[in-house]
Amino acid sequence: MFFQEPELQYEVTVEEPDPHFAKLLQQAIGGQEGEMRVAMQYMFQAWALPEGYEEYRNLLMETAAEELGHIEMLASAVTKNLRGSSQQMSEDAQETAATAEAMTGQSPRQFLSAGESAMPVDSNGAPFTGNYIVASGNLAGDLYANVMAESTGRTLATRLWEYTDDPGMKDMLSYLIARDTMHQNQWLQALETLDDPVPVPASFPQEQENQEFNYTFMSTRREAQPDPEYPWTQGEAPDGKGQFSYAAEQPGDGEVIAPQPSPMTNDTPNRTDESSDSSD
């Protein structure tokens, strides 16, 4: 169940409408690093949790609802950057190719399809896709994915902040960047509350793994190299269940030859023997 309030989560103001920046803001809405992605990701993760995980379900749903508010803020920002901006060039502007190029900064579909408003697309106009969403049904794995989602979202927001000079847009982005800081930390803290956050899934009996390779860093160099003595080639592993080691080469075995396909599906032409060619 959801409720709606007729106000933004945080005030959005635009002093100088900029259609090009509106196009860039679309990435923060419908892009792979955008708010639509995290809102849906957290919801589907929450809906997968069974009985006994109420605190995590609440954490995920509370944050998902907040992310919906971020979509609303960004959509408002896009609309305010589009409306009030110049829709046609002056006679002087038509004389300069640089100005003409700047005018193409607005996505045509924002004007043609959406009447100068935001769309559920990225900055290239590609529609949002559910393929961006990570919701595996494994809480630890999903929380790691959430840390990554918030960190890449924060990276995008900081780049947008650096790009614009509009005080209102900088203020809005500063707020979103701050929330990304909180969300990264809350997911990391939630991971700390789990008994076995690594490896994922922790429920799989580790004795069933190949014990020779489960904590071995394996070099893929053509020529064998000595152990570089990095933190991931020696010492205790973060899960506390094994010691890192180093292998200068991969195990290697078997040939890369495919078995014969079924005659019903074999589209490979028959090979002509060289002996038959010479006889001709």
Side-chain angles (χ1 to χ4, degrees):
M1 180 183 296
F2 295 94
F3 299 94
Q4 184 267 338
E5 291 290 340
E7 64 177 341
L8 293 172
Q9 184 183 125
Y10 188 84
E11 185 180 17
V12 174
T13 61
V14 175
E15 293 192 11
E16 294 292 335
D18 182 351
H20 179 60
F21 194 62
K23 180 179 178 181
L24 299 184
L25 283 173
Q26 284 289 163
Q27 190 68 20
I29 295 177
Q32 188 167 1
E33 311 89 349
E35 304 288 358
M36 291 182 69
R37 182 259 182 96
V38 288
M40 293 295 101
Q41 180 160 306
Y42 302 160
M43 284 185 185
F44 278 91
Q45 290 176 2
W47 293 331
L49 291 176
E51 184 178 358
Y53 288 81
E54 286 76 12
E55 65 205 270
Y56 299 102
R57 185 178 191 278
N58 181 65
L59 172 63
L60 286 161
M61 287 301 295
E62 290 269 25
T63 311
E66 180 184 344
E67 304 292 10
L68 290 175
H70 294 176
I71 299 171
E72 185 178 35
M73 289 168 55
L74 287 161
S76 177
V78 168
T79 302
K80 289 182 177 182
N81 272 289
L82 291 172
R83 298 181 185 180
S85 61
S86 176
Q87 293 302 310
Q88 59 183 359
M89 298 183 201
S90 65
E91 292 182 3
D92 292 339
Q94 294 179 24
E95 297 176 1
T96 62
T99 304
E101 183 179 355
M103 291 294 290
T104 64
Q106 176 179 343
S107 169
R109 286 201 61 205
Q110 286 177 326
F111 173 72
L112 297 173
S113 302
E116 297 181 304
S117 56
M119 302 179 67
V121 300
D122 66 14
S123 56
N124 289 321
F128 173 78
T129 172
N131 291 333
Y132 296 154
I133 295 170
V134 177
S136 68
N138 180 282
L139 180 58
D142 286 347
L143 289 174
Y144 282 116
N146 295 352
V147 174
M148 184 278 291
E150 292 289 347
S151 62
T152 54
R154 177 184 164 89
T155 301
L156 172 63
T158 58
R159 289 169 178 167
L160 289 167
W161 189 94
E162 294 286 354
Y163 192 93
T164 184
D165 291 326
D166 188 278
M169 288 294 87
K170 279 189 174 291
D171 182 55
M172 178 195 74
L173 290 164
S174 178
Y175 172 79
L176 293 176
I177 292 166
R179 297 311 298 156
D180 288 333
T181 295
M182 172 58 192
H183 294 161
Q184 283 187 55
N185 279 278
Q186 73 182 41
W187 301 136
L188 289 167
Q189 189 63 42
L191 278 163
E192 290 290 328
T193 67
L194 301 179
D195 291 335
D196 290 303
V198 290
V200 178
S203 57
F204 184 81
Q206 224 168 329
E207 62 270 15
Q208 297 301 319
E209 298 176 3
N210 186 317
Q211 300 298 301
E212 185 178 355
F213 300 107
N214 55 354
Y215 290 96
T216 302
F217 182 88
M218 199 176 294
S219 176
T220 55
R221 294 287 191 91
R222 180 178 292 274
E223 296 183 2
Q225 304 290 321
D227 184 352
E229 300 183 358
Y230 292 143
W232 45 89
T233 65
Q234 56 185 239
E236 186 177 13
D239 63 9
K241 299 179 181 178
Q243 293 287 319
F244 283 133
S245 62
Y246 176 80
E249 59 184 16
Q250 302 168 74
D253 195 8
E255 296 184 59
V256 187
I257 300 177
Q260 289 292 334
S262 166
M264 296 180 64
T265 61
N266 186 13
D267 294 327
T268 305
N270 294 328
R271 182 180 178 209
T272 302
D273 293 336
E274 293 182 2
S275 58
S276 62
D277 289 341
S278 62
S279 64
D280 292 339

